[in-house]
Amino acid sequence: MREFELIAELTRRFGATTSAGCLLTGIGDDGAVTALPPGHQLVSSIDSLLVGTHFPNDSPGAMVGYRALMVSLSDLAAMGAEPLFVLLALNLPASAESWALDFADGAREACEATGAKIAGGNLTRGPLAVTVSVHGSVPAGTAVLRNGARTGDYVYVSGHLGGAAAALRTGFASSALSDRFWRPRARVELAPVLRQMANAAIDISDGLLQDLGHLVRASGCGAELDSARLPVFPGATPDDAWYGGDDYELCFTAATPPPFPAWCIGRIVAEPGVRLDGQPPTRAGFDHFG
Amino acid sequence: MREFELIAELTRRFGATTSAGCLLTGIGDDGAVTALPPGHQLVSSIDSLLVGTHFPNDSPGAMVGYRALMVSLSDLAAMGAEPLFVLLALNLPASAESWALDFADGAREACEATGAKIAGGNLTRGPLAVTVSVHGSVPAGTAVLRNGARTGDYVYVSGHLGGAAAALRTGFASSALSDRFWRPRARVELAPVLRQMANAAIDISDGLLQDLGHLVRASGCGAELDSARLPVFPGATPDDAWYGGDDYELCFTAATPPPFPAWCIGRIVAEPGVRLDGQPPTRAGFDHFG
C-alpha cells in the first residue's frame, strides 16, 4: 500500500470528516482548522508510546490505538478540560499497514467514547511509535492546575488503583487486570465537576505517590495519607496501588466531597512532602530515564 | 542526569516561562493552557523527524532543533496562520542529554524568529526522533486552504527551489546549499498577506510538482507551468527544483501579483493534472513509504 492510499484508508477508519463540531477543516490540508467554543481557552498535551517500552512488541493495533488516545486524553481530564481534537504521529515499520488500520479502529473507539475528533496526523517509517497531541477546552480561567491545593483540602482518587501495575507484574494474569492496563478510561466525564470543586488535580500515570508529589510540590504544601483508606484494585497489592502507574485515574484535592464516587485518602498539610501513615514513602517513583 | 533534572534544564533552555503572550500555563502541568486572540480560529499540524531518515545520524542537536521547528511552522505559514505555540515529543537514546540541550537551543532560536512559544512536551527513551505539534491562529474564516485555486489564477512560489535537494545530493557541497537544508525559514511573515490575496496555498516539503499536484487535486483543477520561469537555487539543477523537497518555500495561487517578492511559474487551468511546458512530469514525487 502506498503512503497516500494508506492515509486515505486511515482517514476513513478514523471516521474523520472534513468538519464535525469544533473541527472546520480536518485531515488533508497543511493544518487542521478548529474553532473554540466562545469564551473558552485551549488545553493541550502531548504523549508518546513506544513499542517495547510502553507496550509489548506483539500488541494488537486496536488495543494500542485505544490506549494511546486514552492515556493522552487523561491529561485533559486532569485539567478539567473537555476533549476537542487530536493530532496523531505514527511511526510504522515496513509491512505494518494492517496494524495501522487496526490502530485507527481503536483510536476511533476512544474518540467516540470521549467526544474527541481526529483532526490530522503524520506518517513516518521506522520503529513502531505513536505520538498523540490532544486538545480540549475550558471556560476561560477555569482550568484545574497542579498548584492550587490548599492546607486542609481533602485528597481524593477517582477509582481503585494498582490494577494496571498488577497486570504488568503478573503477565496479565486475569482479564480484569488486563483491562485495567489496556482499557483505561480517561475520566473526561469528571471535568465539569472538577472545574467547580477541585483546587488541584493530576492524572495518575507514574504512580500515585510520585504524581501526588508533583502536585504538592507545585502547590507549596504537603500531604498526609492514610493507607487504610486506599482503594486497591482487586488482585493488586497496596504497593501496586501506591507506586504503580498506568491506571489513569485522577488524584485531586478539594475542600468538600465531590458529587461523584471518589475515595478520600488523606489531607493537604503545610509541611512539604508526602507521608504515608506518618512516614515518608519507602520506594522512589518511576523515572522514565532510570 | 535524571528525567526531572533534564526537563528542568530543557525548560530553561527553551526560554519557557509560565505565561507569555497567548500562553497562560506552560510546561509543568498536565496540559498547557492558551487563549486565542478574540475572533480567531486555531490552525494545528504535527510532524515527525527521525534520525537516519530525515536527518543524518551525527547531526548536531541545535541544527535538528531549529530545522524541526521550522519544518512544522511552515505548515502554519501555508495556512496563512501566525504561530502561537508548540508541543514537543522527544525520543532520546541513552546519553543524549547534551544533544537534547543543544536541540532546545535550536528550537528556541526558531521560536524567537517566528513568535512561537514552547508550551509543553514529553520525553521518552529510544531511537532519536522528534515530533512537533504546532499551533497558530487566523481571524475566523480566513485560513488559506489547498482547495481554493480557481481557473485563471497565477501560480507563485515564494523563493528559489532545489537548494535543499542539491545539498542532500552533493553531500552538503557548499555552505549555501547546506543552509538551504538546515536553515529553512518558515515563511510565517507572509501569512497576513496570503490571507488577503491567495486563493490556495501549500508548503513545498515533498517537491514542488508533487505538492502542487495535491493543491490542484484538492481544488478540482490543473496547472500549466513554464520551466523557463522556475527560480532554481544557485548550485541546484532544475530537477532538484521541480522534484526535490525540504525547501519549505510556499506555493500559492492568486488572481493578482502579491505585494512581496514571488515568482510566477504558471497558471491554473480547468484540465486536471500538472503539466510542465505542456507535458506531464517525467518523474514521480517523493513517497515516504516508497
Side-chain angles (χ1 to χ4, degrees):
Chain A
M1 196 180 287
R2 295 187 72 232
E3 181 184 13
F4 296 110
E5 293 162 1
L6 179 58
I7 290 172
E9 180 60 17
L10 285 172
T11 302
R12 201 184 66 74
R13 298 276 186 120
F14 284 141
T17 50
T18 302
S19 66
C22 70
L23 186 58
L24 306 173
T25 300
I27 295 172
D29 216 305
D30 290 287
V33 184
T34 48
L36 291 192
H40 280 58
Q41 292 165 344
L42 186 70
V43 177
S44 304
S45 182
I46 193 166
D47 273 301
S48 295
L49 298 184
L50 281 73
V51 71
T53 302
H54 302 98
F55 56 90
N57 204 31
D58 55 355
S59 304
M63 290 167 72
V64 175
Y66 181 90
R67 184 165 186 273
L69 273 278
M70 285 297 188
V71 162
S72 289
L73 290 164
S74 175
D75 282 319
L76 297 185
M79 300 289 288
E82 279 145 307
L84 292 175
F85 70 96
V86 171
L87 304 175
L88 283 171
L90 263 180
N91 194 36
L92 292 176
S95 308
E97 283 81 1
S98 152
W99 191 94
L101 298 179
D102 289 345
F103 174 93
D105 291 338
R108 177 183 183 154
E109 186 191 351
C111 284
E112 287 176 346
T114 56
K117 308 288 178 194
I118 294 175
N122 188 65
L123 282 181
T124 45
R125 189 64 107 187
L128 188 59
V130 183
T131 299
V132 187
S133 170
V134 292
H135 306 273
S137 71
V138 290
T142 67
V144 183
L145 306 183
R146 294 182 182 179
N147 67 5
R150 297 173 200 162
T151 301
D153 275 0
Y154 297 95
V155 179
Y156 293 94
V157 294
S158 64
H160 288 76
L161 300 176
L168 291 172
R169 184 174 49 74
T170 64
F172 303 95
S174 72
S175 64
L177 292 180
S178 183
D179 278 358
R180 271 316 261 183
F181 180 82
W182 282 113
R183 306 281 302 171
R185 178 73 162 82
R187 305 302 300 268
V188 295
E189 78 280 10
L190 305 183
V193 186
L194 288 177
R195 292 197 300 264
Q196 296 292 329
M197 49 76 63
N199 288 327
I202 192 168
D203 77 326
I204 306 171
S205 54
D206 293 339
L208 170 59
L209 290 177
Q210 176 162 323
D211 291 321
L212 178 58
H214 297 319
L215 185 152
V216 297
R217 199 156 38 245
S219 296
C221 57
E224 298 280 358
L225 305 181
D226 176 356
S227 64
R229 290 164 166 257
L230 181 70
V232 179
F233 195 82
T237 66
D239 262 19
D240 292 330
W242 288 118
Y243 299 99
D246 294 314
D247 282 310
Y248 297 99
E249 293 291 346
L250 302 180
C251 176
F252 58 95
T253 83
T256 55
F260 54 80
W263 285 258
C264 178
I265 59 168
R267 298 292 289 269
I268 295 294
V269 297
E271 190 190 342
V274 176
R275 282 162 300 281
L276 191 51
D277 302 327
Q279 301 296 320
T282 51
R283 282 170 46 186
F286 182 72
D287 184 336
H288 296 266
F289 275 29
Chain B
M1 196 179 286
R2 295 188 71 234
E3 181 184 12
F4 295 110
E5 292 162 1
L6 179 57
I7 290 172
E9 180 61 16
L10 285 172
T11 302
R12 200 183 68 73
R13 298 277 185 118
F14 285 141
T17 51
T18 302
S19 65
C22 72
L23 187 58
L24 306 173
T25 300
I27 294 172
D29 216 305
D30 290 288
V33 184
T34 48
L36 290 191
H40 279 58
Q41 292 166 344
L42 186 69
V43 177
S44 303
S45 182
I46 193 165
D47 274 300
S48 295
L49 298 185
L50 281 72
V51 71
T53 301
H54 301 99
F55 56 89
N57 203 33
D58 55 354
S59 304
M63 290 167 73
V64 175
Y66 181 89
R67 183 165 187 272
L69 272 279
M70 285 298 188
V71 162
S72 289
L73 290 164
S74 175
D75 282 320
L76 298 184
M79 300 288 288
E82 278 144 309
L84 292 175
F85 71 95
V86 171
L87 305 174
L88 282 172
L90 263 181
N91 195 38
L92 292 175
S95 308
E97 283 80 0
S98 154
W99 191 94
L101 298 179
D102 290 344
F103 174 93
D105 291 338
R108 176 182 184 156
E109 186 191 354
C111 284
E112 287 176 347
T114 56
K117 307 289 177 193
I118 293 175
N122 188 66
L123 282 181
T124 45
R125 188 65 107 189
L128 187 59
V130 184
T131 300
V132 187
S133 169
V134 292
H135 306 272
S137 70
V138 291
T142 67
V144 183
L145 307 183
R146 294 182 183 179
N147 67 6
R150 298 173 200 163
T151 301
D153 275 2
Y154 296 95
V155 178
Y156 294 94
V157 293
S158 63
H160 288 75
L161 300 176
L168 292 171
R169 184 173 51 73
T170 63
F172 302 96
S174 72
S175 65
L177 292 180
S178 183
D179 277 358
R180 269 317 259 182
F181 180 82
W182 281 114
R183 306 280 302 172
R185 178 73 162 82
R187 304 300 302 268
V188 295
E189 79 279 9
L190 305 183
V193 186
L194 288 177
R195 293 197 301 264
Q196 297 291 328
M197 51 75 64
N199 289 325
I202 191 167
D203 76 327
I204 305 171
S205 54
D206 293 339
L208 170 60
L209 290 177
Q210 176 162 322
D211 290 322
L212 178 58
H214 297 320
L215 185 152
V216 297
R217 203 158 33 249
S219 296
C221 57
E224 299 280 359
L225 305 181
D226 176 356
S227 65
R229 290 163 166 258
L230 182 70
V232 179
F233 195 83
T237 66
D239 262 19
D240 292 331
W242 289 117
Y243 298 101
D246 294 314
D247 282 310
Y248 297 100
E249 293 289 347
L250 303 181
C251 176
F252 58 97
T253 82
T256 55
F260 54 79
W263 286 257
C264 178
I265 58 169
R267 298 292 289 270
I268 294 294
V269 296
E271 190 189 344
V274 175
R275 281 163 300 281
L276 192 51
D277 301 328
Q279 301 296 320
T282 51
R283 282 169 46 185
F286 182 71
D287 183 337
H288 296 266
F289 275 30

